[in-house]
């Protein structure tokens, strides 16, 4: 019996597509929905108040959570962006896993850090999904938990990426890798300062009804989003000749080519590789 797919069907994508869809798209999309609110729904911004305990506050910068999860049609635009963004984002796990393991020194701790780093790359998009699906009004605790997962794992994976980049010896391989390492540190420092400020500014606002604290909280959210996109976009310079191959391959055809034509037909399988 002949396999239903007797030829390999594959598509090869350049690294720039991965960077555009997996790194830059979510940042650009987030800024777009925020800008949409100010351009077409400014009344919502001008009348925005966070809670009944702090009425008539002059909050000129509502948090990102309202634009991506509460206000329409922004939340639908954001969910569409998320639908496009998540699959390419997962390719970064394979890219950096291969990069760091190929230069891995013979050290147990290096392997353990690499494993922890991979877990943060899984958890970060999971936190983003929670933040996007559960809006701040529908489930504040779950939404806040998703935000905490996203911001903590993002800053942790930035730090671990920098550590692995250094101790794996990548800085010595090329001048570009030295420059990207320095750029990662700069983005990490900005992102880290923003991250540690959020658990300070929001509770301070709730305790003192300070509009400055809340505007600062919202501003750091926007900066953190930009840091996220820029940090992953560095992959464009670290994998300049990498090609992403996505396709369907017939296992039966491979066996036939090896001369094993009497073997029973095997089911087809999907392959996703990075060349």
């Amino acid at each position: 019996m002949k396999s239903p797919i007797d030829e390999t069907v594959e598509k090869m994508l350049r690294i720039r597509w991965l960077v555009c869809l997996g790194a830059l798209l979510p940042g650009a999309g987030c800024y777009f929905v925020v800008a949409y609110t100010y351009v077409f729904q400014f009344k919502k911004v001008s009348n925005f108040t966070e809670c009944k305990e702090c009425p008539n506050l002059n909050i000129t910068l509502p948090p990102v959570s309202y634009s991506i999860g509460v206000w329409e049609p922004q939340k639908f635009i954001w969910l569409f962006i998320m639908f496009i963004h998540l699959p390419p984002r997962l390719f970064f796990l394979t890219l950096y896993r291969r990069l760091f393991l190929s230069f891995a020194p013979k050290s147990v701790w290096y392997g353990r850090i690499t494993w922890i780093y991979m877990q943060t790359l899984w958890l970060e998009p999971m936190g983003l999904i929670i933040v996007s699906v559960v809006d701040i009004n529908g489930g504040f605790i779950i939404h806040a938990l998703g935000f905490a997962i996203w911001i903590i794992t993002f800053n942790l994976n930035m730090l671990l990426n920098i550590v692995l980049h250094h101790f794996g010896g990548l800085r010595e391989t090329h001048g570009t890798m030295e420059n990207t390492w320095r750029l990662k540190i700069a983005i990490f420092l900005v992102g880290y300062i923003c991250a540690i400020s959020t658990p300070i500014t929001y509770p301070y606002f709730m305790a003192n009804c300070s509009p400055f604290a809340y505007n600062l909280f919202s501003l750091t959210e926007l900066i953190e989003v930009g840091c996220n996109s820029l940090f992953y976009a560095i992959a464009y310079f670290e994998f300049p000749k990498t090609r992403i191959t996505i396709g369907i391959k017939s296992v039966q055809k491979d066996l036939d080519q090896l001369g094993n034509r009497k073997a029973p037909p095997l089911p087809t399988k999907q392959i996703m590789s990075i060349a």
Side-chain angles (χ1 to χ4, degrees):
M1 180 178 178
K2 189 176 181 180
S3 171
I5 300 179
D6 57 0
E7 293 184 359
T8 297
V9 180
E10 62 182 29
K11 176 67 176 177
M12 185 174 290
L13 301 176
R14 295 178 180 271
I15 189 65
R16 65 168 175 259
W17 288 105
L18 179 65
V19 170
C20 288
L21 298 178
L24 298 178
L25 179 63
C30 180
Y31 291 149
F32 172 80
V33 296
V34 171
Y36 183 97
T37 303
Y38 279 86
V39 174
F40 298 104
Q41 299 177 351
F42 187 73
K43 187 177 180 180
K44 289 185 177 181
V45 177
S46 60
N47 294 328
F48 179 81
T49 55
E50 169 60 20
C51 59
K52 296 179 181 179
E53 291 77 10
C54 303
N56 302 321
L57 289 180
N58 183 25
I59 298 176
T60 57
L61 188 60
V64 175
S65 299
Y66 284 89
S67 291
I68 68 173
V70 178
W71 294 331
E72 300 178 2
Q74 295 93 308
K75 71 174 184 179
F76 301 117
I77 297 173
W78 174 250
L79 288 175
F80 179 70
I81 291 171
M82 286 289 297
F83 176 79
I84 299 175
H85 151 70
L86 281 173
R89 171 57 67 91
L90 296 179
F91 276 105
F92 285 102
L93 282 86
T94 303
L95 279 173
Y96 281 106
R97 183 177 183 275
R98 291 191 176 186
L99 176 66
F100 292 139
L101 290 182
S102 63
F103 287 86
K106 295 181 179 179
S107 172
V108 175
W109 70 262
Y110 187 93
R112 289 175 179 174
I113 291 179
T114 303
W115 184 86
I116 295 173
Y117 173 64
M118 290 298 109
Q119 308 316 304
T120 65
L121 287 177
W122 276 110
L123 287 172
E124 183 196 326
M126 296 303 104
L128 187 58
I129 290 174
I130 295 174
V131 169
S132 303
V133 175
V134 182
D135 65 75
I136 195 170
N137 289 338
F140 177 80
I141 300 298
I142 299 177
H143 181 87
L145 176 62
F147 176 76
I149 293 173
W150 176 76
I151 200 169
I152 291 173
T153 54
F154 168 53
N155 280 271
L156 185 57
N157 83 49
M158 281 197 294
L159 176 61
L160 296 180
N161 185 298
I162 292 169
V163 171
L164 294 170
H165 190 130
H166 174 74
F167 288 99
L170 291 170
R171 296 174 59 190
E172 289 75 28
T173 59
H174 196 277
T176 299
M177 300 303 286
E178 172 67 20
N179 293 333
T180 58
W181 185 76
R182 294 177 182 272
L183 182 57
K184 287 176 182 179
I185 292 178
I187 297 174
F188 167 71
L189 291 176
V190 174
Y192 178 72
I193 292 172
C194 291
I196 62 174
S197 71
T198 55
I200 298 174
T201 53
Y202 189 81
Y204 184 84
F205 158 76
M206 294 299 293
N208 300 280
C209 292
S210 169
F212 174 78
Y214 202 76
N215 286 329
L216 184 60
F217 170 81
S218 301
L219 178 61
T220 54
E221 275 190 323
L222 289 171
I223 296 174
E224 195 76 20
V225 169
C227 289
N228 186 277
S229 285
L230 290 177
F231 192 85
Y232 285 105
I234 295 176
Y236 179 82
F237 304 100
E238 294 184 321
F239 307 94
K241 297 182 180 180
T242 300
R243 300 292 183 269
I244 312 300
T245 303
I246 306 174
I248 301 175
K249 182 179 181 181
S250 173
V251 179
Q252 181 66 43
K253 183 180 179 181
D254 289 346
L255 293 176
D256 290 345
Q257 290 176 346
L258 292 173
N260 190 7
R261 299 180 181 276
K262 295 182 180 180
L266 298 176
T268 59
K269 67 176 182 179
Q270 287 188 333
I271 59 169
M272 304 174 71
S273 62
I274 297 178

